[in-house]
Amino acid sequence: NAEYMGDPRVNRLPYSIKVLLECALRNCDEFNFKSADVEKILNWEQTSKESIEVPFKPARVLLQDFTGVPAVVDLAAMRDAVKKLGGDPNRVNPACPVDLVVDHSVQVDASRTLDARERNEELEFKRNYERFEFLKWGQGALNNFLIVPPGSGIVHQVNLEYLGRVVFDNNGVLYPDSLVGTDSHTTMIDALGIVGWGVGGIEAEAVMLGEAVSMVLPEVVGFKLTGTLPKIATATDLVLTCTELLRKRKVVGKFVEFFGPGVESLSIADRATVSNMAPEYGATMGFFPIDQKTIDYLRNTGRDEAKLELIEKYARAQGLFRTYDATAQADPVFSGDILELDLATVVPSISGPKRPHDRVPISRMKADWNDCLKNPVGFKGYGLAPETLDKTATFTYNNTEYKIGNGAVVIAAITSCTNTSNPGVMLAAGLLAKNAIEKGLKVLPYIKTSLSPGSGVVTKYLESSGLITYLNQIGFTLAGYGCMTCIGNSGDLDEPVAEAIQKADILAAAVLSGNRNFEGRVHPLTRANYLASPPLVVAYAFAGTVNIDFETEPLGKDTNGQDVFLRDIWPSRDEIQMFVDAHVRPEYFQEVYGRISKGTDRWNALQAPTGTLYAWRPESTYIHNPPFFSSMELTLPKINDINEAFCLLNLGDSITTDHISPAGNISKTSPAARYLTERTVQQVDFNTYGARRGNDEIMARGTFANTRLKNKLLGGKEGPNTLYVPTKETLSVFDAADRYQKEGRQLIILAGNEYGSGSSRDWAAKGPYLLGVKAVIAQSYERIHRSNLVGMGILPLEFRAGENADTLGLTGEETFSILLNGGNLKVGQDIDIKTSKGTTFQARVRLDTDVEVEYFKNGGILHYVCLLYTSDAADDLLCVDLGGRRIIKKK
């Protein structure tokens, strides 16, 4: 118990750092965790400025199916490898609780009909039968492994409402709940006072197998909230404002901890919206300490009363319980200047059209949109010529002629755990729909409207309130319980709409209550994508365009011919709260989550194989034994120098994991489609890359297949192609990489700032590994992606400050040579890179901890862990202690 140490430094620590301290104290065995690690954390005020490394062992791991399937595939392949190397495959098992929620597979194929959910789930099972069958094998074969079946909800909302423990009771030993998850938005759980953040699937697998996370002790930015939100503002407006402010503060790699009297005025659902978007403002976490609102939320979501008493007593005894009244504790010490926000200054906003941190107040939206049309091509510009600004396209839909222009809304989706976990904004959407319908307003029928909440509880309170009737009337019918539009599973647009957009090159828009709007993510035909609160999603559906000033332009006319403005139908916060109080009930949570352990009819009907080892089926195009362990031996691999490597891609700034990792639908002209066609798979059955993440052959072919990828080797032209330098041919990225590998040539990638930003997709590292990439040289990296590159044995290198490929005169048509000293690199070491054109420059090795150096020397984290599980059977390997971690080395 940290409180009993009597050390005055404890009470000065941020609450999030206290959780790291408790973990180090509880696990201190002078092997994995040393007393020196405890001292480093106690001395956080100084050590957080010095990039000091400490271990952390999360209590559990959270997976969603897109990242969970490849994790289970790797475990199955590792079991094969351990047996091949003479070990016991049964040792390959989760060492801590692992929860996998199937939420990424369902798509909005059907919408605007009352049977849309049933049709979408039926198609989901048809498309993903092999994946689900494989997962069900894992559920039976692996210990400590819970699956929340398809149709149950979105992973982070299920985590918040059901899986979150707050305090673990492990055979009478109490300790804080904590986790890592294979999705960036794992941070949503921070709203409950639970320390959790997103990691790559590669790192999560190591935690599952008993390894501690090696992390740099972070700075903690204090964000003080005062006042209360205005009556017209929502939690979505708040998080978009926080995202904008924190992006300017530059909080990448840092914790953000919220405090101040304004926190007390926010519900847990409001806080969860803010915590959810920590990846968008760049932080590792957006943390709210445990307080009375936490206990109240647990009670309101149907948790056991006896456990609530234990949680509160424990949190108070451990110094983890925050109060905001007259007896409130002194604020902790934070890193640097305190960031402050008066909640009363928050105004209705949306964010876009290409990035989540580009907030636009609704009052400025029309002007901003028209500026974006004319601005040079960039994050806030499309570079349209003056004569194309007002172009339109006419089409016939259901025997009626319609006209659309730039800014036409063709997708309006209430989606994503970011907002659907918040009853306030969901009921606000229903109330706005009710008010609009009663005024006589209608939504244009060609707009693809959908409702995809993160929990069946949402349906319960929408039905109880009667508001679901109004949402149904305007096409926001229940499409399924999953991420859906938020992750690009938006389904096809109706053919007349899609054809009109393509023929006239209309700059169409999507408005969604999601957390990501990177170009090409939501739908290939919506080049403008805006994040908004659920009621604003409904408002833009009524408007039919983002080119509107809600202050001066009406949404339509009422039954008496009078103009109806948004202000006329916007529900007040008081009215919304009345509906929350009346219709969000604990018994709904108990009923919905009481069914989890029973499974669904479709899930229970699945016939899955059994046994310790998975019986791989060579003909499967969904599940394939990956080659990661195929050449593995009991000796450590030799790390060779990079000699005369060609540049596969020369990329600019803000290349996201959406650009790198296979995502969305499989294009019929892609290498992945060619692979499937060769195996007699029909185009209608291609499914998405996400659904096929368990097949490395397809994922390698889909790496860098994003149609919006801009490659300087091709003059910045968009598309999934590159220059095959030896012959100057333009090929798909996969075909070029395949030819390079067959010729025995090594590859590197050049990139700009924020390389790998976005979701924590392990295939954004596994894919380049399979393409033969040995190193990436970038100006800067997103935290999780850099870690994933290391985990796959790809060396992340960073240009020196003020330098990049352009300033150094690098075109990407050179070859690159890098001396790696047999893998004996040092943390933060500068190394020389020589090019075939005679240029020599330095780059910094972005192996940030001693453990990462060891991972790299082992060929990646998977090889490292596999050797660890086989080490008892190996004569030439030794498990040694290095800074609190177990490292495999030669004897």
Side-chain angles (χ1 to χ4, degrees):
N1 188 328
E3 291 290 286
Y4 290 164
M5 293 181 67
D7 193 311
R9 291 175 292 179
V10 174
N11 290 328
R12 294 172 59 84
L13 293 175
Y15 285 76
S16 51
I17 299 299
K18 284 184 180 182
V19 177
L20 304 187
L21 174 62
E22 186 281 337
C23 178
L25 283 168
R26 174 167 40 88
N27 290 288
C28 189
D29 57 3
E30 300 302 340
F31 180 63
N32 287 298
F33 289 79
K34 293 186 173 182
S35 53
D37 295 316
V38 174
E39 183 62 25
K40 289 174 186 176
I41 300 172
L42 281 168
N43 202 31
W44 170 85
E45 289 181 51
Q46 180 59 38
T47 52
S48 62
K49 303 172 186 176
E50 300 173 355
S51 297
I52 296 293
E53 173 195 355
V54 296
F56 178 57
K57 199 165 192 177
R60 58 189 176 97
V61 174
L62 184 70
L63 308 172
Q64 38 93 336
D65 58 301
F66 270 19
T67 50
V69 165
V72 179
V73 166
D74 289 346
L75 293 184
M78 192 180 295
R79 281 188 168 188
D80 287 349
V82 168
K83 182 178 181 182
K84 175 184 172 184
L85 294 172
D88 179 4
N90 283 305
R91 294 183 64 189
V92 181
N93 250 319
C96 64
V98 176
D99 303 310
L100 187 153
V101 181
V102 182
D103 65 352
H104 273 50
S105 301
V106 64
Q107 302 180 47
V108 190
D109 293 291
S111 63
R112 296 168 290 192
T113 62
L114 294 179
D115 66 345
R117 175 200 172 190
E118 178 64 24
R119 291 162 61 191
N120 290 332
E121 288 186 358
E122 183 178 353
L123 282 169
E124 176 190 20
F125 265 77
K126 179 182 176 182
R127 289 175 176 138
N128 298 283
Y129 186 86
E130 289 182 50
R131 297 171 64 247
F132 293 169
E133 185 182 58
F134 173 70
L135 285 176
K136 198 168 183 183
W137 165 82
Q139 186 178 33
L142 300 171
N143 298 330
N144 268 340
F145 188 52
L146 169 71
I147 287 187
V148 177
S152 301
I154 301 176
V155 58
H156 306 305
Q157 189 161 342
V158 174
N159 194 26
L160 187 76
E161 297 177 351
Y162 175 64
L163 297 173
R165 283 80 155 171
V166 183
V167 172
F168 260 82
D169 183 353
N170 190 354
N171 296 320
V173 178
L174 304 180
Y175 50 93
D177 186 5
S178 61
L179 67 146
V180 289
T182 55
D183 189 279
S184 299
H185 298 98
T186 299
T187 54
M188 188 171 185
I189 202 64
D190 301 342
L192 269 183
I194 297 173
V195 164
W197 60 83
V199 297
I202 303 156
E203 190 176 3
E205 288 173 37
V207 176
M208 289 164 60
L209 295 169
E211 294 302 298
V213 175
S214 181
M215 61 183 292
V216 173
L217 191 62
E219 294 185 5
V220 181
V221 175
F223 198 142
K224 186 175 184 178
L225 302 179
T226 60
T228 58
L229 286 172
K231 292 186 180 299
I232 59 171
T234 66
T236 314
D237 305 319
L238 170 60
V239 72
L240 296 181
T241 303
C242 290
T243 299
E244 180 184 46
L245 293 172
L246 286 162
R247 270 284 175 179
K248 292 177 181 176
R249 176 64 182 268
K250 297 182 178 178
V251 295
V252 172
K254 301 175 183 179
F255 290 178
V256 173
E257 189 166 306
F258 295 89
F259 71 106
V263 171
E264 191 175 23
S265 71
L266 298 176
S267 67
I268 293 297
D270 290 342
R271 299 177 194 180
T273 300
V274 174
S275 293
N276 178 282
M277 288 188 69
E280 281 64 54
Y281 44 82
T284 304
M285 285 204 307
F287 187 76
F288 291 84
I290 299 168
D291 63 5
Q292 190 56 49
K293 286 284 181 73
T294 309
I295 306 302
D296 294 342
Y297 178 84
L298 295 172
R299 180 174 292 112
N300 292 337
T301 50
R303 263 68 162 215
D304 181 74
E305 194 66 36
K307 290 183 179 178
L308 302 190
E309 184 179 354
L310 186 68
I311 290 169
E312 182 170 353
K313 284 183 177 180
Y314 173 81
R316 289 184 182 276
Q318 191 66 281
L320 295 174
F321 195 93
R322 187 80 207 244
T323 58
Y324 299 98
D325 55 21
T327 64
Q329 313 98 317
D331 292 328
V333 173
F334 293 109
S335 304
D337 295 334
I338 299 296
L339 200 60
E340 294 194 39
L341 175 66
D342 180 355
L343 296 177
T345 64
V346 174
V347 298
S349 304
I350 62 175
S351 183
K354 302 180 185 182
R355 296 189 301 186
H357 52 280
D358 291 330
R359 183 182 68 89
V360 186
I362 290 300
S363 59
R364 288 204 66 255
M365 179 55 197
K366 182 165 186 171
D368 188 83
W369 168 251
N370 284 281
D371 286 343
C372 285
L373 292 177
K374 295 175 286 187
N375 288 343
V377 174
F379 296 120
K380 292 290 288 185
Y382 293 97
L384 297 190
E387 62 272 17
T388 66
L389 296 177
D390 297 322
K391 65 183 173 182
T392 59
T394 302
F395 63 96
T396 300
Y397 183 83
N398 288 348
N399 299 319
T400 302
E401 188 172 274
Y402 295 95
K403 183 186 291 185
I404 57 173
N406 292 327
V409 173
V410 295
I411 292 177
I414 300 176
T415 181
S416 173
C417 53
T418 307
N419 285 288
T420 68
S421 61
N422 192 321
V425 294
M426 294 301 288
L427 289 165
L431 285 166
L432 190 140
K434 174 179 180 292
N435 296 340
I437 288 170
E438 289 173 349
K439 290 282 189 180
L441 300 184
K442 295 181 179 180
V443 172
L444 292 165
Y446 62 79
I447 298 176
K448 188 165 190 177
T449 47
S450 62
L451 170 65
S452 52
S455 161
V457 175
V458 177
T459 307
K460 286 288 183 183
Y461 63 67
L462 285 175
E463 288 175 344
S464 170
S465 65
L467 296 177
I468 200 164
T469 302
Y470 299 98
L471 290 169
N472 288 342
Q473 285 184 44
I474 57 172
F476 285 93
T477 58
L478 180 62
Y481 298 108
C483 299
M484 302 186 90
T485 302
C486 184
I487 60 167
N489 285 0
S490 49
D492 294 331
L493 295 177
D494 287 319
E495 188 57 36
V497 182
E499 186 176 319
I501 294 171
Q502 291 172 304
K503 279 190 174 180
D505 194 22
I506 296 296
L507 214 163
V511 184
L512 65 153
S513 61
N515 47 44
R516 293 269 165 87
N517 57 343
F518 300 128
E519 195 169 5
R521 177 185 175 94
V522 175
H523 192 283
L525 296 182
T526 58
R527 293 167 58 197
N529 301 281
Y530 285 93
L531 306 181
S533 65
L536 277 176
V537 171
V538 175
Y540 276 105
F542 278 115
T545 179
V546 296
N547 187 22
I548 183 173
D549 181 347
F550 284 131
E551 293 293 321
T552 61
E553 297 179 65
L555 290 169
K557 294 185 182 293
D558 64 16
T559 52
N560 296 319
Q562 299 297 309
D563 287 341
V564 178
F565 292 88
L566 182 58
R567 59 180 173 269
D568 299 327
I569 59 174
W570 193 266
S572 70
R573 283 182 69 84
D574 291 341
E575 183 182 11
I576 295 166
Q577 191 58 49
M578 284 175 56
F579 272 75
V580 171
D581 293 341
H583 300 288
V584 182
R585 302 169 184 166
E587 56 265 31
Y588 292 161
F589 294 89
Q590 292 168 339
E591 178 185 344
V592 167
Y593 289 112
R595 296 195 295 262
I596 293 293
S597 60
K598 300 174 184 177
T600 63
D601 291 341
R602 286 192 176 95
W603 182 257
N604 293 336
L606 276 176
Q607 297 297 313
T610 58
T612 298
L613 300 178
Y614 182 68
W616 306 97
R617 293 186 294 180
E619 73 278 7
S620 174
T621 56
Y622 278 94
I623 306 297
H624 185 260
N625 194 351
F628 304 135
F629 306 102
S630 59
S631 60
M632 189 174 174
E633 298 179 354
L634 286 175
T635 54
L636 293 180
K638 181 181 179 182
I639 305 298
N640 296 314
D641 295 331
I642 297 174
N643 289 315
E644 298 183 349
F646 281 88
C647 179
L648 181 62
L649 294 157
N650 183 1
L651 305 169
D653 294 338
S654 296
I655 295 298
T656 72
T657 50
D658 286 334
H659 291 109
I660 307 168
S661 182
N665 292 321
I666 297 175
S667 168
K668 62 183 178 181
T669 60
S670 67
R674 190 169 68 231
Y675 173 89
L676 289 168
T677 301
E678 289 169 355
R679 283 150 185 81
T680 67
V681 178
Q682 300 299 312
Q683 183 182 343
V684 70
D685 296 320
F686 281 178
N687 211 327
T688 65
Y689 284 111
R692 293 188 181 272
R693 279 191 181 190
N695 188 310
D696 57 279
E697 296 278 6
I698 290 172
M699 297 305 281
R701 287 162 172 77
T703 301
F704 292 111
N706 190 299
T707 57
R708 300 299 181 190
L709 182 72
K710 294 182 177 71
N711 181 7
K712 295 179 185 178
L713 275 169
L714 296 176
K717 184 179 178 181
E718 288 187 345
N721 302 312
T722 194
L723 183 72
Y724 179 70
V725 175
T727 62
K728 301 297 188 286
E729 293 175 80
T730 297
L731 302 174
S732 73
V733 175
F734 172 79
D735 287 338
D738 186 50
R739 188 181 295 186
Y740 280 125
Q741 289 194 83
K742 287 176 179 176
E743 295 172 353
R745 303 178 189 271
Q746 296 173 304
L747 295 172
I748 62 100
I749 290 172
L750 297 175
N753 282 304
E754 297 179 340
Y755 181 73
S757 57
S759 299
S760 56
R761 290 179 172 160
D762 56 337
W763 275 108
K766 288 179 177 177
Y769 169 87
L770 293 173
L771 295 181
V773 174
K774 302 300 180 184
V776 177
I777 312 170
Q779 284 181 266
S780 66
Y781 294 87
E782 192 275 339
R783 175 185 64 87
I784 297 173
H785 184 61
R786 186 204 59 79
S787 173
N788 277 351
L789 290 175
V790 177
M792 288 309 301
I794 297 174
L795 183 63
L797 298 168
E798 194 166 280
F799 288 107
R800 291 193 301 186
E803 293 184 348
N804 57 39
D806 293 338
T807 63
L808 293 169
L810 304 175
T811 64
E813 295 190 36
E814 311 86 349
T815 60
F816 297 78
S817 297
I818 309 168
L819 294 177
L820 298 180
N821 193 27
N824 292 310
L825 302 173
K826 296 180 180 179
V827 171
Q829 175 183 345
D830 290 333
I831 59 175
D832 291 334
I833 301 175
K834 296 180 180 180
T835 76
S836 56
K837 293 186 177 180
T839 305
T840 298
F841 62 97
Q842 282 197 325
R844 175 156 294 179
V845 172
R846 284 302 309 275
L847 302 176
D848 290 356
T849 66
D850 290 333
V851 172
E852 287 191 341
V853 172
E854 292 297 327
Y855 287 162
F856 182 70
K857 288 166 67 174
N858 276 267
I861 196 170
L862 296 180
H863 286 192
Y864 160 76
V865 174
C866 191
L867 282 173
L868 181 64
Y869 274 92
T870 316
S871 58
D872 290 347
D875 294 329
D876 60 345
L877 295 175
L878 180 66
C879 185
V880 299
D881 174 24
L882 176 67
R885 267 71 52 197
R886 291 172 291 171
I887 301 297
I888 299 298
K889 291 191 171 219
K890 288 184 180 180
K891 278 187 180 176

